[in-house]
Amino acid sequence: MHCVKSRRGGGPHARTFEYIDFTYADTNTRIYRTSRGRTHSECKIDPMRNNSPRTLPRYGKACAHLHVNRVRRVSQCHHITKRVVMIEQQGHGADQAHETRRRRSGIVAFLVGLVATLAFFALFPGLPHVIDWGAILVSLAVGGLAREACRSWMARAAKKKDERM
């Protein structure tokens, strides 16, 4: 934030007071929320407002207003539309569903590889029917390979699907 110096009544000891307000209006331009900022009388570089992101309850317009000595000097507004929000939510939901399916498939592939290898060592004729640390480590490695193979296969299938569209 740059410091603002007053042109009139100046002098080296002239004080300026700055603050930022946020206003939120619905699609009919009725303001339903105003967030008043703290007044700053000193010139500092740190942010004048440090707000966390928020989800607005309505579509419409969000504006930030800079006030200097109680006079609004600058405003910047953003229109929040239903169409943009819905597209972002749909895209995020599809990505999240795909990621969940991929994670679950990887877990199932790991468990199938692990159990199949342990069963092989426990039941295969000609081998001692004892599960030792070597068999456990080999089973874990086979489970990991099965998981990576499943994830690679799913990524390849998704890439082919995207190319067809």
Side-chain angles (χ1 to χ4, degrees), residues 76-108:
Q76 181 177 4
C77 298
H78 296 275
H79 292 276
I80 296 103
T81 62
K82 185 174 184 177
R83 184 169 191 266
V84 172
V85 172
M86 285 179 62
I87 289 171
E88 288 176 2
Q89 289 173 350
Q90 288 172 354
H92 179 68
D95 291 343
Q96 190 174 13
H98 176 70
E99 183 62 31
T100 301
R101 196 175 321 116
R102 195 169 73 103
R103 189 179 321 115
R104 286 182 182 166
S105 299
I107 290 169
V108 169

CSV table of all heavy atoms in Angstrom, one decimal, residues 76-108:
chain,number,residue,atom,x,y,z
A,76,GLN,N,-13.0,-0.8,-6.5
A,76,GLN,CA,-12.9,-1.9,-7.4
A,76,GLN,C,-13.9,-2.9,-7.1
A,76,GLN,O,-14.0,-3.4,-6.0
A,76,GLN,CB,-11.5,-2.5,-7.4
A,76,GLN,CG,-11.2,-3.6,-8.4
A,76,GLN,CD,-9.8,-4.1,-8.4
A,76,GLN,OE1,-9.0,-3.7,-7.5
A,76,GLN,NE2,-9.6,-5.0,-9.3
A,77,CYS,N,-14.7,-3.3,-8.2
A,77,CYS,CA,-15.8,-4.3,-8.0
A,77,CYS,C,-15.6,-5.5,-8.9
A,77,CYS,O,-15.0,-5.4,-9.9
A,77,CYS,CB,-17.1,-3.6,-8.3
A,77,CYS,SG,-17.5,-2.2,-7.2
A,78,HIS,N,-16.1,-6.6,-8.4
A,78,HIS,CA,-16.1,-7.9,-9.1
A,78,HIS,C,-17.5,-8.4,-9.1
A,78,HIS,O,-18.1,-8.5,-8.1
A,78,HIS,CB,-15.1,-8.9,-8.5
A,78,HIS,CG,-13.7,-8.4,-8.6
A,78,HIS,ND1,-12.9,-8.6,-9.6
A,78,HIS,CD2,-12.9,-7.8,-7.6
A,78,HIS,CE1,-11.7,-8.2,-9.4
A,78,HIS,NE2,-11.7,-7.6,-8.2
A,79,HIS,N,-18.0,-8.8,-10.3
A,79,HIS,CA,-19.3,-9.4,-10.4
A,79,HIS,C,-19.2,-10.9,-10.2
A,79,HIS,O,-18.4,-11.6,-10.8
A,79,HIS,CB,-19.9,-9.1,-11.7
A,79,HIS,CG,-20.3,-7.7,-11.9
A,79,HIS,ND1,-21.4,-7.1,-11.4
A,79,HIS,CD2,-19.5,-6.6,-12.4
A,79,HIS,CE1,-21.4,-5.8,-11.6
A,79,HIS,NE2,-20.3,-5.5,-12.2
A,80,ILE,N,-19.9,-11.5,-9.3
A,80,ILE,CA,-20.0,-12.9,-9.0
A,80,ILE,C,-21.2,-13.4,-9.6
A,80,ILE,O,-22.3,-13.1,-9.3
A,80,ILE,CB,-20.0,-13.2,-7.5
A,80,ILE,CG1,-18.7,-12.7,-6.9
A,80,ILE,CG2,-20.1,-14.7,-7.2
A,80,ILE,CD1,-18.8,-11.4,-6.1
A,81,THR,N,-21.0,-14.3,-10.7
A,81,THR,CA,-22.2,-14.8,-11.4
A,81,THR,C,-22.4,-16.3,-11.1
A,81,THR,O,-21.5,-17.0,-10.8
A,81,THR,CB,-22.0,-14.6,-12.9
A,81,THR,OG1,-20.8,-15.3,-13.3
A,81,THR,CG2,-21.8,-13.1,-13.3
A,82,LYS,N,-23.6,-16.7,-11.3
A,82,LYS,CA,-24.0,-18.1,-11.1
A,82,LYS,C,-23.3,-19.0,-12.0
A,82,LYS,O,-22.8,-20.1,-11.6
A,82,LYS,CB,-25.5,-18.2,-11.2
A,82,LYS,CG,-26.1,-19.5,-10.8
A,82,LYS,CD,-27.6,-19.5,-10.9
A,82,LYS,CE,-28.1,-20.8,-10.4
A,82,LYS,NZ,-29.6,-20.8,-10.3
A,83,ARG,N,-23.2,-18.6,-13.3
A,83,ARG,CA,-22.7,-19.5,-14.3
A,83,ARG,C,-21.2,-19.8,-14.0
A,83,ARG,O,-20.8,-21.0,-14.0
A,83,ARG,CB,-22.7,-18.8,-15.7
A,83,ARG,CG,-22.3,-19.6,-16.8
A,83,ARG,CD,-22.7,-19.0,-18.1
A,83,ARG,NE,-22.5,-19.9,-19.2
A,83,ARG,CZ,-21.4,-19.9,-19.9
A,83,ARG,NH1,-20.4,-19.1,-19.7
A,83,ARG,NH2,-21.2,-20.8,-20.9
A,84,VAL,N,-20.4,-18.9,-13.6
A,84,VAL,CA,-19.0,-19.1,-13.3
A,84,VAL,C,-18.8,-20.0,-12.1
A,84,VAL,O,-18.1,-20.9,-12.1
A,84,VAL,CB,-18.2,-17.7,-13.1
A,84,VAL,CG1,-16.8,-18.0,-12.6
A,84,VAL,CG2,-18.3,-16.9,-14.4
A,85,VAL,N,-19.6,-19.7,-11.1
A,85,VAL,CA,-19.5,-20.5,-9.9
A,85,VAL,C,-19.9,-22.0,-10.1
A,85,VAL,O,-19.2,-22.9,-9.7
A,85,VAL,CB,-20.4,-19.9,-8.7
A,85,VAL,CG1,-20.4,-20.8,-7.5
A,85,VAL,CG2,-19.8,-18.6,-8.3
A,86,MET,N,-21.0,-22.2,-10.9
A,86,MET,CA,-21.4,-23.5,-11.2
A,86,MET,C,-20.4,-24.3,-12.0
A,86,MET,O,-20.1,-25.5,-11.8
A,86,MET,CB,-22.8,-23.5,-11.9
A,86,MET,CG,-23.9,-23.2,-11.0
A,86,MET,SD,-25.5,-23.1,-11.9
A,86,MET,CE,-25.6,-24.8,-12.5
A,87,ILE,N,-19.8,-23.7,-13.0
A,87,ILE,CA,-18.7,-24.3,-13.8
A,87,ILE,C,-17.6,-24.7,-12.9
A,87,ILE,O,-17.1,-25.9,-13.0
A,87,ILE,CB,-18.3,-23.4,-15.0
A,87,ILE,CG1,-19.4,-23.3,-16.0
A,87,ILE,CG2,-17.0,-24.0,-15.6
A,87,ILE,CD1,-19.2,-22.3,-17.1
A,88,GLU,N,-17.1,-23.9,-12.0
A,88,GLU,CA,-16.0,-24.2,-11.2
A,88,GLU,C,-16.4,-25.4,-10.2
A,88,GLU,O,-15.6,-26.3,-10.0
A,88,GLU,CB,-15.6,-23.0,-10.3
A,88,GLU,CG,-14.9,-21.9,-11.1
A,88,GLU,CD,-14.6,-20.7,-10.3
A,88,GLU,OE1,-14.9,-20.7,-9.1
A,88,GLU,OE2,-14.1,-19.7,-10.8
A,89,GLN,N,-17.6,-25.4,-9.7
A,89,GLN,CA,-18.0,-26.4,-8.8
A,89,GLN,C,-18.1,-27.8,-9.5
A,89,GLN,O,-17.7,-28.8,-9.0
A,89,GLN,CB,-19.3,-26.1,-8.1
A,89,GLN,CG,-19.2,-25.0,-7.1
A,89,GLN,CD,-20.6,-24.6,-6.6
A,89,GLN,OE1,-21.6,-25.0,-7.1
A,89,GLN,NE2,-20.6,-23.8,-5.6
A,90,GLN,N,-18.6,-27.8,-10.8
A,90,GLN,CA,-18.7,-29.0,-11.5
A,90,GLN,C,-17.4,-29.6,-11.9
A,90,GLN,O,-17.1,-30.8,-11.7
A,90,GLN,CB,-19.5,-28.8,-12.8
A,90,GLN,CG,-21.0,-28.6,-12.6
A,90,GLN,CD,-21.7,-28.2,-13.8
A,90,GLN,OE1,-21.1,-27.9,-14.9
A,90,GLN,NE2,-23.0,-28.1,-13.7
A,91,GLY,N,-16.5,-28.7,-12.3
A,91,GLY,CA,-15.1,-29.2,-12.6
A,91,GLY,C,-14.4,-29.8,-11.4
A,91,GLY,O,-13.8,-30.8,-11.5
A,92,HIS,N,-14.5,-29.1,-10.3
A,92,HIS,CA,-13.9,-29.5,-9.1
A,92,HIS,C,-14.5,-30.9,-8.6
A,92,HIS,O,-13.8,-31.8,-8.2
A,92,HIS,CB,-14.0,-28.5,-8.0
A,92,HIS,CG,-13.4,-28.9,-6.7
A,92,HIS,ND1,-12.0,-29.0,-6.6
A,92,HIS,CD2,-13.9,-29.2,-5.5
A,92,HIS,CE1,-11.7,-29.4,-5.3
A,92,HIS,NE2,-12.9,-29.5,-4.7
A,93,GLY,N,-15.8,-31.0,-8.7
A,93,GLY,CA,-16.5,-32.2,-8.3
A,93,GLY,C,-16.1,-33.4,-9.1
A,93,GLY,O,-15.8,-34.5,-8.6
A,94,ALA,N,-15.9,-33.2,-10.4
A,94,ALA,CA,-15.5,-34.3,-11.3
A,94,ALA,C,-14.1,-34.7,-11.0
A,94,ALA,O,-13.8,-35.9,-11.0
A,94,ALA,CB,-15.7,-33.9,-12.8
A,95,ASP,N,-13.2,-33.8,-10.8
A,95,ASP,CA,-11.8,-34.1,-10.5
A,95,ASP,C,-11.7,-34.8,-9.2
A,95,ASP,O,-10.9,-35.8,-9.0
A,95,ASP,CB,-11.0,-32.8,-10.4
A,95,ASP,CG,-10.7,-32.2,-11.8
A,95,ASP,OD1,-11.0,-32.9,-12.8
A,95,ASP,OD2,-10.4,-31.0,-11.8
A,96,GLN,N,-12.5,-34.4,-8.2
A,96,GLN,CA,-12.5,-35.0,-6.9
A,96,GLN,C,-13.0,-36.4,-7.0
A,96,GLN,O,-12.5,-37.3,-6.3
A,96,GLN,CB,-13.3,-34.2,-5.9
A,96,GLN,CG,-13.1,-34.6,-4.5
A,96,GLN,CD,-13.8,-33.7,-3.5
A,96,GLN,OE1,-14.6,-32.9,-3.9
A,96,GLN,NE2,-13.5,-33.8,-2.2
A,97,ALA,N,-14.1,-36.7,-7.7
A,97,ALA,CA,-14.6,-38.0,-7.9
A,97,ALA,C,-13.6,-38.9,-8.6
A,97,ALA,O,-13.4,-40.1,-8.2
A,97,ALA,CB,-15.9,-38.0,-8.7
A,98,HIS,N,-12.9,-38.4,-9.6
A,98,HIS,CA,-11.9,-39.2,-10.3
A,98,HIS,C,-10.8,-39.6,-9.4
A,98,HIS,O,-10.3,-40.7,-9.3
A,98,HIS,CB,-11.4,-38.5,-11.5
A,98,HIS,CG,-10.3,-39.2,-12.2
A,98,HIS,ND1,-10.5,-40.3,-13.0
A,98,HIS,CD2,-9.0,-38.9,-12.3
A,98,HIS,CE1,-9.4,-40.8,-13.5
A,98,HIS,NE2,-8.4,-39.9,-13.1
A,99,GLU,N,-10.3,-38.6,-8.6
A,99,GLU,CA,-9.2,-38.8,-7.6
A,99,GLU,C,-9.6,-39.9,-6.6
A,99,GLU,O,-8.8,-40.7,-6.2
A,99,GLU,CB,-8.8,-37.5,-7.0
A,99,GLU,CG,-7.6,-37.6,-6.1
A,99,GLU,CD,-6.4,-38.1,-6.8
A,99,GLU,OE1,-6.2,-37.8,-8.0
A,99,GLU,OE2,-5.6,-38.8,-6.1
A,100,THR,N,-10.8,-39.8,-6.1
A,100,THR,CA,-11.3,-40.8,-5.1
A,100,THR,C,-11.4,-42.2,-5.7
A,100,THR,O,-10.9,-43.1,-5.1
A,100,THR,CB,-12.7,-40.4,-4.6
A,100,THR,OG1,-12.6,-39.0,-4.0
A,100,THR,CG2,-13.2,-41.3,-3.5
A,101,ARG,N,-11.9,-42.3,-6.9
A,101,ARG,CA,-12.0,-43.6,-7.6
A,101,ARG,C,-10.6,-44.1,-7.8
A,101,ARG,O,-10.3,-45.3,-7.6
A,101,ARG,CB,-12.7,-43.4,-8.9
A,101,ARG,CG,-13.2,-44.7,-9.5
A,101,ARG,CD,-14.0,-44.5,-10.8
A,101,ARG,NE,-14.9,-43.4,-10.7
A,101,ARG,CZ,-14.8,-42.3,-11.5
A,101,ARG,NH1,-13.9,-42.2,-12.4
A,101,ARG,NH2,-15.6,-41.3,-11.4
A,102,ARG,N,-9.6,-43.3,-8.2
A,102,ARG,CA,-8.3,-43.7,-8.4
A,102,ARG,C,-7.6,-44.2,-7.1
A,102,ARG,O,-6.9,-45.2,-7.1
A,102,ARG,CB,-7.5,-42.6,-9.1
A,102,ARG,CG,-6.2,-43.0,-9.7
A,102,ARG,CD,-5.6,-41.8,-10.5
A,102,ARG,NE,-5.1,-40.7,-9.6
A,102,ARG,CZ,-3.8,-40.5,-9.4
A,102,ARG,NH1,-2.9,-41.3,-10.0
A,102,ARG,NH2,-3.4,-39.6,-8.6
A,103,ARG,N,-7.8,-43.5,-6.1
A,103,ARG,CA,-7.2,-43.8,-4.8
A,103,ARG,C,-7.8,-45.2,-4.3
A,103,ARG,O,-7.0,-46.1,-3.9
A,103,ARG,CB,-7.5,-42.7,-3.7
A,103,ARG,CG,-6.8,-42.9,-2.4
A,103,ARG,CD,-7.0,-41.8,-1.4
A,103,ARG,NE,-7.1,-40.5,-2.0
A,103,ARG,CZ,-8.2,-39.7,-2.0
A,103,ARG,NH1,-9.3,-40.2,-1.4
A,103,ARG,NH2,-8.1,-38.5,-2.5
A,104,ARG,N,-9.1,-45.4,-4.4
A,104,ARG,CA,-9.7,-46.6,-3.9
A,104,ARG,C,-9.2,-47.8,-4.8
A,104,ARG,O,-9.0,-48.9,-4.2
A,104,ARG,CB,-11.2,-46.5,-4.0
A,104,ARG,CG,-11.8,-45.6,-2.9
A,104,ARG,CD,-13.3,-45.6,-2.9
A,104,ARG,NE,-13.8,-44.7,-1.9
A,104,ARG,CZ,-15.0,-44.2,-1.8
A,104,ARG,NH1,-15.9,-44.5,-2.8
A,104,ARG,NH2,-15.4,-43.5,-0.9
A,105,SER,N,-9.1,-47.6,-6.1
A,105,SER,CA,-8.7,-48.7,-6.9
A,105,SER,C,-7.2,-49.0,-6.6
A,105,SER,O,-6.9,-50.2,-6.6
A,105,SER,CB,-8.8,-48.3,-8.4
A,105,SER,OG,-10.1,-48.0,-8.8
A,106,GLY,N,-6.4,-48.1,-6.3
A,106,GLY,CA,-5.0,-48.4,-5.9
A,106,GLY,C,-4.9,-49.2,-4.6
A,106,GLY,O,-4.1,-50.1,-4.5
A,107,ILE,N,-5.8,-48.8,-3.7
A,107,ILE,CA,-5.8,-49.5,-2.4
A,107,ILE,C,-6.2,-51.0,-2.6
A,107,ILE,O,-5.6,-51.9,-2.1
A,107,ILE,CB,-6.7,-48.8,-1.4
A,107,ILE,CG1,-6.1,-47.5,-0.9
A,107,ILE,CG2,-7.0,-49.7,-0.2
A,107,ILE,CD1,-7.0,-46.6,-0.1
A,108,VAL,N,-7.3,-51.2,-3.4
A,108,VAL,CA,-7.8,-52.5,-3.7
A,108,VAL,C,-6.7,-53.3,-4.4
A,108,VAL,O,-6.5,-54.5,-4.1
A,108,VAL,CB,-9.1,-52.5,-4.5
A,108,VAL,CG1,-9.5,-53.8,-5.0
A,108,VAL,CG2,-10.2,-51.9,-3.6
